[in-house]
Amino acid sequence: QVQPRDSGGGSVKAGGSLKLSCLASEYTNGNSCMGWFRQSPGKQREGVARVTISPGPTVHADFVKDRGVITLSNGGSTLNLQMFRLKPEDTAMYYCVAVTRGPGDVCTFSFLQERGNWGQGTQVTVSE
């Protein structure tokens, strides 16, 4: 399957905002699960957002961490995670994950983590 392309990370001060983007038209054109994970040294991988995609595309936000908002752009080809009021503990590598879903599949973080196709990752660094 095609690897999604994530971008938008950077270095910001606490209280600032960033918008992460994931180009994944191969998945948004059909039935899929998509989400964002973050990973930092010494911490477990954490699911940040999870959505169910249907043709249209239509998106159902199953889960979004606080201080985050999910949107679609670029004709529905791009999934965005807008993050605001960032804190130092938000510092991590953020990964977009996407996978085609079949009739019996339910979008969960476990499903994404085990079956998903991972983006390259984009670094978010938040300083005091």
Side-chain angles (χ1 to χ4, degrees), residues 74-126:
N74 297 324
S77 66
T78 301
L79 181 75
N80 307 121
L81 174 62
Q82 176 70 57
M83 302 186 294
F84 50 93
R85 298 193 303 277
L86 286 163
K87 303 176 180 180
E89 52 262 46
D90 295 318
T91 296
M93 185 74 75
Y94 284 71
Y95 297 90
C96 177
V97 186
V99 61
T100 300
R101 60 183 175 92
D105 294 327
V106 178
C107 296
T108 65
F109 280 129
S110 294
F111 182 75
L112 282 170
Q113 188 162 338
E114 299 299 323
R115 305 274 292 277
N117 301 282
W118 293 71
Q120 188 177 28
T122 182
Q123 178 69 41
V124 171
T125 302
V126 184

Side-chain angles (χ1 to χ4, degrees), residues 54-66:
S54 299
T58 60
V59 56
H60 176 77
D62 302 309
F63 177 86
V64 185
K65 276 275 190 178
D66 60 347

